[in-house]
Amino acid sequence: MTTQRLERTPLKRWFLDAEEADPGGYYERESEAKAQEHVQPWWRVMCLTGVDYFSTLGYQPGIAALAAGALSPVATLVLVLVTLFGALPMYRRVAAESPHGDGSLSMLERLLSYWPSKILVLCLIGFVATGFVITITLSAADASAHLVENPYLRTTLSGHKVGVTLTLLVLLAGIFLKGFKEAIGIAVVLVVAYLGLSSVVLVRGIVEIGNHPTAFSDWITAMTSAHSAPFGIIGASLLVFPALALGLSGFETGVVVMPLVKGDATDTAEKPEGRIRNARKLLTTAALIMSVLLIGSSLVTTLLIPPAAFQPGGLANGRALAYLAHHLLGEGFGTVYDISTIGILWFAGASAMAGLLNIVPRYLPRYGMAPDWARSTRPLVLVLSFIAAVVTLAFGANVDEQAGAYATGVLALMTSAAIAVFLTELRRGHRGAAAFFAVVSAIFVYTITITVEQRPEGLVIALIFIALIVVISVWSRIVRSTELRVQRVVYDDSARAILDDAALGPQPLRFIANKINAGDKDEYRAKSLDVRMHNHLNARQGAIFLEVEISDASDFATTVHVGSAVVGGHYILRATGPSVPNVLAAVLLDVRDRVSKPPHIYFEWSEKAPGQNVLRFLLAGEGDIPPLTHEIIRRAEPDADRRPQVHVGG
C-alpha cells in the first residue's frame, strides 16, 4: 500500500525526527523491544527517574515538619513503610505487565474495551499531564527559590523569581531538543553529586545531634507532651500521611521510562525478561536509597532546626537540608549544596518530560486524538515547554500554590495503578495478592480523598487539563477522520488466491461494496442485480463483493485482516477493521498495488440523514460510506491517475 510523500526540508526532517534512527525519544512498539540502540544500564536510567524522586529531599523534610511538627520522623517512617510495602510491590507488578513504557494506564485500558477504555485513558492522561507538567513547573520554581535565597545571589535575583523559572524551563527544553542521551548524562552527574552532598549533610547532622545529648530527649518530650500514648503518636502520624505523599513521586516515571532500560540479548518482544528484571532493580534501589534519606533528613531537620524556621518566610521553609548545610558546614559548602539542589530540582522536570514524551505518542495519536506529528519528540518538547511556561506565569512561580495540583496528579496515578494491579490479580484468581493490593488501593484512595478535600484546587487544575485534552482529542479525531488509518492489509490464503486469480482476468478489477445481512445467495444475487442496473454494468463484467466487519470503532490505526467466502458462485472478500470507509480504502489501495490498473468499487447511496451519518462515522465507523471512501483515497493518493475509482448509483 504505497502513496506518494511530499519532500521535506532538512530542517523539517530534523524537527520531526525523520532523518534520525534514534531521534532522542523512546516511544517503542512491542516489535522494537529487542532494539538496543537507545538503551542504558538500569542504574543510569534510575538517575533519570531519580532527579524527580530524589529531588523531593529539597522540600519534603520541610513539608513534614509543617504538617506533623515533632511527629515528623514518625510520620516519615509511615511514608517509608507505605513506599516499601505498598508502592514498591505494586510497581514491580506494573513493570512486568507493561514493559514497553505503557505504565499503569495500559493495564486499565486492557480491563475495558471500545470507547469506555479510551475515555478512561483520556481522563487518566489528564492526571498524568497534571502531575508531570506541575512536576516540571514546581521543580523549576523551587530551584529558583533556592537561587533567590542564596546569600550571594539574594540581592541580585530578588523579585525576579518568575524570570529565573522561565529561563530554567528554556534550558530544559534546549537539552531535550538536542537529544536524549545528553539528558541522561546530566541526570547521572546531578544525582551522584546531590546524593553525595546530602549524605555529608546528614552525617554532619547526626554528629551534631550527638554533640547535644539533650536534643534527642527534647524531641521525645515534645512528642509525648502532645500524645502520651504510643497509639496516639501512631494515629496522629497516620492522619498527616496524605500531606507527606509527595515523597512517593517517581514510581510512575520509573515504569514509563522502561524502554530505556537495557535488557538481555535473549529478550523477546512478548517477554523482555531482562528488561523487567533490571527495571525492578531500578525501582527497588531507588526506593531503598530514598527511604534511608527520608528518615535521616526528617530526623536531623526536626531535631536541629527551630520550628519557627519552617514556617512560611522562615529560612528553612522549603529548604531544610540546605539550611543545615549553611548552618553546620559554612557558607561555602552551603553554596555548593545549593548549586547541587538547584541542579537536581531544575532537572527533576527532565524525568517528567521524558514520561510525557512517551505517554503522549503512545496513546493519543494511536487513538486519532492528536496530530500525527505528536509521535515526534521535538515538536512535543516545544508544546510541553510552552504549557509549562503558561502554568508558571499563571501561578507566579509559587511552589506552595502548585503543591496541591502536584499531589493530586501523583496520587491519582498511584491510585489508578493500585486499582489496576488489584483488578488484574482478582481477574487471574490470585486471591491472596488481590486482597493485599485491595488494602494498598484503599490506602491510596484514602490519601487522594484527603488531599482533594484539603487542597481542592489540585482537582480543579486536573479537571482543566482533562477538559483540554478531551476537547483537543475530539477536534483531532474529527480532523483526522479521513486519514487512511490502516497500517497494513493482511490476506489469508483463500483471499489471496481470489485476488491472484482475478488479477489474471480483465482489468480493471471491480468490487461491489456490501453490508452483510442474511449472507445467502439470494442476498448477493439481488445486490449484484441492483448495482449493475444502477451503474450500467453488464453481466460479462465480473465483480467481487467486498464487506467490512467493524472490530472496534474507537481504534484509529490498526491492521486490516481479509478473509474470503464463496456463496452461490459469488466471490466475497471480508475485511475486519475499525471503520468501514477506511478499511475499504485501504483494501482498494492495496489491491491497486497488486494489479495493472486501479480497481473500481460500486456503492448505493445511503438513505439516512447527513448529520446522522456524520455521527455514525465518528462513533461507530459507518456513515455515508461512498463519499468518505472517495475522500480517504483522495487524501492518501495525490496522483489522480493512480486512485481506485468510486462509483455510486441508485
Side-chain angles (χ1 to χ4, degrees):
M1 192 165 46
T2 59
T3 56
Q4 294 180 357
R5 293 183 179 270
L6 297 177
E7 289 295 322
R8 291 172 173 166
T9 64
L11 177 61
K12 186 175 288 187
R13 289 199 304 271
W14 172 85
F15 186 61
L16 296 176
D17 311 325
E19 63 180 9
E20 301 179 46
D22 179 17
Y26 53 86
Y27 168 62
E28 175 190 73
R29 298 177 180 86
E30 291 190 9
S31 60
E32 300 168 348
K34 293 181 67 176
Q36 299 290 312
E37 294 86 359
H38 62 296
V39 295
Q40 300 281 338
W42 66 266
W43 61 270
R44 288 176 64 87
V45 182
M46 183 190 73
C47 290
L48 179 64
T49 63
V51 289
D52 175 20
Y53 193 24
F54 299 141
S55 69
T56 57
L57 284 171
Y59 48 83
Q60 180 72 16
I63 292 174
L66 282 174
L71 294 178
S72 174
V74 180
T76 302
L77 178 61
V78 172
L79 173 66
V80 167
L81 293 176
V82 172
T83 298
L84 296 178
F85 300 102
L88 179 58
M90 176 176 79
Y91 275 100
R92 285 173 63 90
R93 296 293 180 96
V94 174
E97 294 292 332
S98 56
H100 303 287
D102 304 85
S104 58
L105 272 67
S106 66
M107 298 177 66
L108 289 170
E109 183 187 28
R110 292 196 296 267
L111 292 172
L112 298 174
S113 59
Y114 302 103
W115 284 111
S117 72
K118 307 298 188 294
I119 294 170
L120 175 63
V121 169
L122 281 182
C123 292
L124 290 176
I125 288 176
F127 285 106
V128 169
T130 303
F132 285 6
V133 169
I134 299 297
T135 295
I136 295 171
T137 59
L138 182 145
S139 299
D142 205 14
S144 300
H146 280 71
L147 272 169
V148 173
E149 290 297 326
N150 184 271
Y152 298 121
L153 299 174
R154 188 176 297 133
T155 303
T156 304
L157 298 180
S158 179
H160 300 288
K161 188 176 178 181
V162 172
V164 173
T165 303
L166 292 175
T167 301
L168 293 177
L169 293 176
V170 170
L171 291 174
L172 182 67
I175 290 171
F176 277 88
L177 288 174
K178 176 65 175 68
F180 209 76
K181 292 179 181 178
E182 288 81 357
I184 292 183
I186 293 172
V188 171
V189 172
L190 290 174
V191 166
V192 170
Y194 182 68
L195 293 184
L197 292 171
S198 295
S199 299
V200 172
V201 175
L202 292 181
V203 170
R204 180 64 183 86
I206 293 171
V207 171
E208 187 67 17
I209 293 173
N211 292 335
H212 294 80
T214 62
F216 195 80
S217 59
D218 290 344
W219 169 58
I220 298 294
T221 301
M223 277 200 304
T224 56
S225 63
H227 306 279
S228 56
F231 286 109
I233 294 174
I234 295 172
S237 299
L238 290 173
L239 288 175
V240 300
F241 167 72
L244 278 64
L246 290 180
L248 291 166
S249 67
F251 277 104
E252 186 72 26
T253 311
V255 291
V256 166
V257 300
M258 279 186 67
L260 286 174
V261 177
K262 186 175 183 179
D264 298 336
T266 56
D267 282 0
T268 64
E270 295 76 18
K271 295 191 72 174
E273 294 180 355
R275 172 187 291 177
I276 293 171
R277 183 180 64 254
N278 288 334
R280 286 175 164 176
K281 288 181 184 178
L282 181 159
L283 294 169
T284 303
T285 303
L288 290 173
I289 291 173
M290 191 60 174
S291 296
V292 172
L293 293 175
L294 278 173
I295 293 175
S297 63
S298 178
L299 189 64
V300 299
T301 54
T302 302
L303 270 63
L304 296 177
I305 298 177
F310 289 112
Q311 299 302 315
L315 293 178
N317 181 250
R319 54 188 300 275
L321 285 180
Y323 173 90
L324 285 182
H326 284 272
H327 183 68
L328 298 177
L329 294 161
E331 298 295 350
F333 182 89
T335 297
V336 173
Y337 187 74
D338 279 342
I339 293 172
S340 71
T341 306
I342 291 163
I344 197 168
L345 282 169
W346 159 62
F347 214 62
S351 63
M353 181 75 79
L356 287 169
L357 291 177
N358 184 55
I359 289 292
V360 171
R362 182 167 298 280
Y363 289 100
L364 295 186
R366 177 162 60 91
Y367 292 173
M369 294 176 175
D372 198 52
W373 56 255
R375 297 181 187 274
S376 302
T377 299
R378 293 185 177 101
L380 266 184
V381 169
L382 292 184
V383 171
L384 295 172
S385 299
F386 174 77
I387 294 171
V390 171
V391 171
T392 296
L393 292 171
F395 284 102
N398 188 296
V399 175
D400 293 333
E401 290 186 6
Q402 298 178 71
Y406 180 46
T408 300
V410 169
L411 289 172
L413 292 179
M414 301 194 79
T415 303
S416 65
I419 293 173
V421 173
F422 159 65
L423 293 176
T424 301
E425 296 297 338
L426 188 65
R427 175 175 287 189
R428 292 174 178 171
H430 302 160
R431 294 184 179 179
F436 172 78
F437 287 111
V439 174
V440 175
S441 299
I443 292 173
F444 283 109
V445 169
Y446 160 77
T447 304
I448 192 172
T449 301
I450 297 298
T451 301
V452 170
E453 183 180 326
Q454 294 177 346
R455 302 292 299 268
E457 72 276 8
L459 180 60
V460 172
I461 295 168
L463 291 176
I464 291 173
F465 272 102
I466 291 172
L468 288 173
I469 288 172
V470 169
V471 169
I472 293 171
S473 298
V474 171
W475 171 81
S476 177
R477 183 90 182 196
I478 292 171
V479 170
R480 298 185 63 194
S481 60
T482 54
E483 287 184 10
L484 190 55
R485 290 175 54 178
V486 173
Q487 296 169 333
R488 62 193 182 112
V489 179
V490 178
Y491 303 90
D492 66 13
D493 292 340
S494 59
R496 191 180 301 107
I498 289 175
L499 284 177
D500 291 344
D501 184 60
L504 299 175
Q507 299 292 315
L509 221 57
R510 303 180 192 275
F511 292 93
I512 297 174
N514 181 56
K515 182 177 181 179
I516 188 170
N517 292 304
D520 55 18
K521 62 180 182 181
D522 291 336
E523 175 184 339
Y524 293 105
R525 179 177 176 275
K527 182 75 171 184
S528 178
L529 289 174
D530 285 346
V531 168
R532 290 178 183 279
M533 179 180 66
H534 293 141
N535 291 279
H536 309 291
L537 291 176
N538 60 51
R540 294 189 302 276
Q541 293 173 309
I544 300 171
F545 283 90
L546 183 54
E547 300 172 344
V548 176
E549 179 184 353
I550 297 175
S551 54
D552 181 356
S554 65
D555 281 341
F556 195 78
T558 186
T559 296
V560 169
H561 295 275
V562 183
S564 68
V566 180
V567 179
H570 299 282
Y571 291 95
I572 307 157
L573 295 183
R574 290 175 175 161
T576 302
S579 165
V580 175
N582 294 93
V583 171
L584 291 175
V587 172
L588 291 169
L589 288 167
D590 186 80
V591 170
R592 184 273 316 270
D593 294 336
R594 297 170 179 267
V595 296
S596 58
K597 294 182 179 180
H600 291 219
I601 189 167
Y602 298 87
F603 294 92
E604 292 179 309
W605 284 113
S606 171
E607 297 295 330
K608 292 183 171 61
Q612 184 180 356
N613 276 325
V614 170
L615 290 176
R616 290 175 66 231
F617 174 57
L618 293 175
L619 298 178
E622 297 177 338
D624 196 2
I625 308 300
L628 289 168
T629 304
H630 178 271
E631 176 61 14
I632 293 167
I633 292 173
R634 187 190 68 79
R635 290 189 61 183
E637 177 51 74
D639 187 352
D641 293 334
R642 300 192 70 240
R643 290 180 196 152
Q645 298 298 304
V646 176
H647 306 269
V648 190

